[in-house]
Amino acid sequence: MLPRLAELRRLQSCVLRHVRSFAVFPGASPLVEEAEEVNGGRGEDITDHLTDLTTPASWYPAARMMRRKVVAHMGPTNSGKTHAALQALKAAETGVYCGPLRLLAWEISEKLNADDVSCSLITGQERRVMEGAKHAACTVEMASVSRQVDVAVVDEIQMVADPSRGHSFTRAILGIPARTLHVCGDPAALPLLRQLVQDTGDTLEVLEYERLLPLKAEKAALGTLEGVRKGDCLVAFSRREVHTTKRALESWGALKCCVVYGALPAESRTQQATLFNKPRTGFNVMSASDAVGMGLNLNIRRIVFTSLEKFDGASYRPLTAAEVKQIAGRAGRFGSSHSSGRVTCMHQEDMPYLHTALACANPELQQACLFPSYQQLAIFAEQHNHLDLSDALELFANRATLSQHFFFSNYEPMHKLALMLRHLALSLRDHYIFSISPADPEDPPVAAALLSFASCYASRGHVSVIEAQRWQLKPARTESELEQLEAAYRILDLYIWLSFRMEAAFTGRAEAEKQRKLVTALIEEALPRLAINSKALTARQRRQERMELLDVSRAIEDHFNGSQWDRRIQQKLLAPVYQKPLPTVPIPKLLRRSRKHLRDWELE
Ligand SMILES: Nc1ncnc2c1ncn2[C@@H]1O[C@H](COP(=O)(O)OP(=O)(O)OP(=O)(O)O)[C@@H](O)[C@H]1O
Ligand SMILES: [Mg+2]
């Protein structure tokens, strides 16, 4: 047999082996499966060009077999874009909605089911498959690129330029095989969208929208909290400030304050939004982080920025104009009880920047984010003497060639997790799944949980939610106990996410979902009751807390660098939260007790 042919045969079997290793995830609805698409259509020269990412449109054979009609709904926030796209989705025989947040996917699946369009919900952590449903609402990462539908909606497409998650939007826009693909987003994304549609050979129709209700920037800043009125949403950029603002507002007794922030479970954010939106609940103002910027339909009269700076993981930076507008645009939603939206700041010195940001158009997006599929990485690793995932990722990123309209995704978080796990006996596929999981390497308890899940899995091939993590589920009396509950939620969420991808090993999903529900109830029970006041911590306690966090992050850092855990620090990290025995109180009783708290201030 010709050597070339032998080489090809070997490669072909290698591709098939990797494709098969990524079976469609059990429980996914027929419309949705995740990232196991075949990197098809490139046949014999796959090794030479494996890191050639210059033609991503050719990665999606199912979409290329049809001439799709792309409809772009372009406009500012609150201009009816999603609403219009949903009308087409509801009228279609089959369809899928892809959004950036679980909250949005939830909201849309609720909306469609309420309108008698049976719609499944598929996110990384939820599978609510409705019997016979021909519609699904999913997070964009879960979009299928091999199942054909009549209509697909990809919402918030300006996120195609997001350095970490943008590649999922690029994959959805290039690869969903929909007869009609509706995309909604900011007009700044239009020139780049035109380029993507030109690459795919589809047709493009552009619909432009105006804000449905005016958004007015006030002239003067609020100055102090005394100026806060019902319907206001105060926006801060740290969990601590959100709670401190809540505490300060409630200290007068006139206002009851809901909270929304990223670390809060999605269910609790919805519950807080409902408390805020419904009349006569008594909760008439909101203290929120930028998590309020997308996904929740809120009855906000005015947005008050307590700051126009945020910490982006490395340093403090001013909000971009797009971020200011995304958040300000939440005021005065069409259909809410307000005839317009208003926006201001707490401090007068921020007002000029606010006015400038609101007045300027968002800079046009130049490039879409791109990341290789699992198959490409797996074959590349195999072709290079079976490199482990972290090395393969680095080498691939260094060698990748892209066209001028794309940039390589920020793979740092995934690389850190891959490094942390590289000493474990994991197959490439399992190492990849653990490394793309929604564990934030900068989130010590969750990173520690991932490490223990993966260690359990590598040594025993099985991970029960009770075995791998032990935490105390009890009503939170202090802010740090509330933070522990929020961490427990994220760890349960991570376990459930893994259980959908490694079902035979993570067998405690039902138990984890029950505990996640309990933790959510305990968090929601604590929020209105907890007197959180960062000043309550003495300077010594605050210093101690900061030292602990420093110790912990140093331990995690050591781990990333492959050195041994510092046993003392590991005990410090794991002992306070995870290694105490579960409460003797049986869970249902604890849940009833929490429910009793819930009833005390439940909605009328
Ligand atoms: N034609 C309409 N009839 C009734 N309600 C509408 C209509 N258009 C929009 N709405 C409602 O107005 C609100 C804002 O609309 P929508 O969410 O579609 O705006 P958007 O442009 O997608 O906003 P964002 O950019 O913030 O996502 C929603 O509650 C939506 O249901
Ligand atoms: Mg929208």
Side-chain angles (χ1 to χ4, degrees), residues 578-596:
Y578 307 120
Q579 279 163 350
K580 287 189 183 130
L582 281 177
T584 45
V585 176
I587 284 196
K589 196 164 172 214
L590 204 54
L591 197 54
R592 265 200 307 282
R593 195 187 297 165
S594 313
R595 276 212 195 99
K596 190 186 127 348

Side-chain angles (χ1 to χ4, degrees), residues 139-154:
T139 40
V140 67
E141 284 80 3
M142 303 303 288
S144 164
V145 291
S146 48
R147 291 282 181 313
Q148 191 165 316
V149 289
D150 290 335
V151 164
V153 176
V154 180

Side-chain angles (χ1 to χ4, degrees), residues 1-18 20 43-47 379 382-383:
M1 187 186 288
L2 294 171
R4 191 87 184 112
L5 202 55
E7 168 69 358
L8 278 178
R9 286 231 186 289
R10 200 176 60 71
L11 265 172
Q12 213 63 24
S13 63
C14 161
V15 171
L16 286 177
R17 203 171 41 257
H18 284 294
R20 276 199 209 101
E44 68 284 356
D45 61 355
I46 196 162
T47 21
I379 300 164
E382 196 152 324
Q383 295 309 310

Side-chain angles (χ1 to χ4, degrees), residues 76-83 111 156 212 297 330 333-334:
T77 59
N78 197 21
S79 54
K81 306 183 292 295
T82 307
H83 179 89
K111 250 183 197 169
E156 308 292 353
L212 294 163
N297 257 323
R330 311 318 293 174
R333 292 296 278 179
F334 183 81

